[in-house]
Structures are given as C-alpha cells and as structure tokens.
Amino acid sequence: SLFFGGGTPSLMPPETAAAVIEEADRLWGFSSDAEITLEANPTSIEAGRFAGYAAGGVNRVSMGAQALNDADLKRLGRMHTAAEARAAFDIARAAFARVSFDLIYARQDQTPEAWEAELAEALRMAIDHLSLYQLTVEPGTRFGELHDIGKLRGLPDDDRAADMYAITQSLCEAAGMPAYEISNHARPGAESRHNLVYWRGGDYAGVGAGAHGRVTAGGVRLATETPRAPAA
C-alpha cells in the first residue's frame, strides 16, 4: 500500500502524485492490486483534481468531510461547506472504486439524536469505509487554547459522548460496516490495508517532513522519523 497523508496532499498537482507513485514503484515494487490512497479536503478546487489523481495511479481517496452541516463545519474551522462535501463525494465516487470520508462526533452542542441522524445520512452515502472520530481536545492546539480560556463551550460530558460512541457502533453494525479498529468502519474486505499494517504491527516506511516509519532490518525493529522543516 501507499498512503498520501498529512491532511492536504490533494493540494499538490496530480502530476506530482503520479511521479511519486512511479518512483515508489521503481524502488519497492507494487503488487498489481496495491492500495494507493490519497487524503483530500472536499473543496471544489481539490475535488476538481480527482480524475487526474485516478489517472496517475491513485485508486482510493479519503476525504475529510468532518461534519454534514455548515454551522459545525465553521466551528471546526473547516474551509468547505456541507454542500461542497456532498458534491466532492459524488465526484470521488465517479473517479474511484473505493472512497472513504471522515466525520467527527461529540462536537459542541451536539446531541445523540443529532449525531444519529447525521450518521444515518453518512451511511446512506458511504461506499465501503467510514472514519468516525470522537472529538478530543489536545494541548497545544487551537481547540486546546480555546478550552483553557473557557471559550469552547457546549462539549458533551463523558456519558453523552459514550452514548454517541454506542450509537456509532450500533448503526454501523446494522449497516454492514462494523468497526475493525477504534475509529474505522468498513464492509468486510474493504478495510484499509494501510491502516491494518499499523494495527498489526507491520513494517512501513515514512517519507516526507515529519513522517514516521517502522522497519525491520537484520531482525531488529527500527523506528525512523524525518524532521519537520523549521517554521519561517
């Protein structure tokens, strides 16, 4: 498998992705059915490149939809609208056989009932895979800063967040997309091979600024990390 991650690889031209795929194939060699995934934001600009990525060798896309309503997208700091997310999904479905998208739940002022309705819509849209993340507030992030000064109001308490987790498992199971790890759900056989490498403790090479890898050499497991470029 090959995974273009980091949130915004779809900002690069399709020709660049194709060149990276070609070079990776030259260096390591891909099987004929290799999974090649690209993360993308569902803006109209990035979705407009989907056909080019498919022509260059990408056969799976993972979109950061995050929410299916505009108010919550604005709160999450996303640059796209819900309409753009739905339109980008339709474009992706036409370009790729395998499409996944992300949603975040336990958002500000979100009720279990609202999440159930939103997830039901997502499952009607889904092809074979969904990534469903519970919102967490981490130190050193913008949300962390807002939380510390009391400006991140309306987050659900632990019990309500647990209710949303239970709803997630129940609806996805019923739709034939059970969890295969903490946050990822897929139809049988459609699990992300790249994700499974991580969860099964396999080897993977990280390439690029801030990339992390774990490879076995001479019977010894080695961790590799590429430093990030210093901030300007």
Side-chain angles (χ1 to χ4, degrees):
S1 65
L2 174 64
F3 196 99
F4 290 94
T8 53
S10 54
L11 292 177
M12 68 180 168
E15 296 80 9
T16 302
V20 173
I21 293 168
E22 182 179 356
E23 180 66 4
D25 189 24
R26 185 187 70 81
L27 292 170
W28 287 293
F30 289 131
S31 62
S32 60
D33 64 343
E35 174 190 275
I36 301 178
T37 302
L38 180 129
E39 286 189 344
N41 289 317
T43 65
S44 58
I45 293 174
E46 293 176 56
R49 297 174 172 155
F50 284 171
Y53 294 125
V58 174
N59 54 30
R60 182 178 181 271
V61 70
S62 178
M63 294 195 309
Q66 314 306 6
L68 294 178
N69 70 77
D70 289 343
D72 282 1
L73 285 169
K74 185 175 181 179
R75 278 179 156 182
L76 290 168
R78 308 301 294 178
M79 301 301 293
H80 62 272
T81 66
E84 281 184 306
R86 293 182 180 93
F89 175 79
D90 289 340
I91 295 169
R93 184 170 52 184
F96 305 98
R98 301 180 63 197
V99 179
S100 178
F101 62 94
D102 303 352
L103 290 177
I104 295 174
Y105 64 95
R107 306 189 302 257
Q108 291 173 270
D109 297 320
Q110 188 179 40
T111 64
E113 294 76 17
W115 170 237
E116 184 171 4
E118 186 173 9
L119 180 55
E121 179 184 355
L123 287 166
R124 289 192 295 270
M125 293 170 58
I127 295 177
D128 61 6
H129 192 285
L130 287 174
S131 295
L132 305 170
Y133 300 101
Q134 186 173 144
L135 178 65
T136 56
V137 179
E138 299 288 349
T141 65
R142 178 58 178 159
F143 267 28
E145 294 170 359
L146 292 173
H147 184 268
D148 290 344
I149 61 176
K151 291 189 175 181
L152 198 64
R153 300 185 179 92
L155 291 177
D157 60 23
D158 288 347
D159 287 342
R160 180 163 287 195
D163 289 342
M164 294 187 205
Y165 176 82
I167 288 168
T168 302
Q169 308 315 305
S170 178
L171 262 64
C172 289
E173 285 272 1
M177 295 180 65
Y180 68 93
E181 48 101 317
I182 292 175
S183 300
N184 285 293
H185 299 253
R187 303 195 190 284
E191 299 86 356
S192 168
R193 299 176 200 168
H194 204 82
N195 285 351
L196 290 174
V197 169
Y198 299 146
W199 281 87
R200 293 172 177 172
D203 284 4
Y204 54 96
V207 179
H212 179 273
R214 294 178 66 187
V215 296
T216 302
V220 178
R221 174 62 66 83
L222 305 172
T224 64
E225 187 166 356
T226 306
R228 293 184 181 274

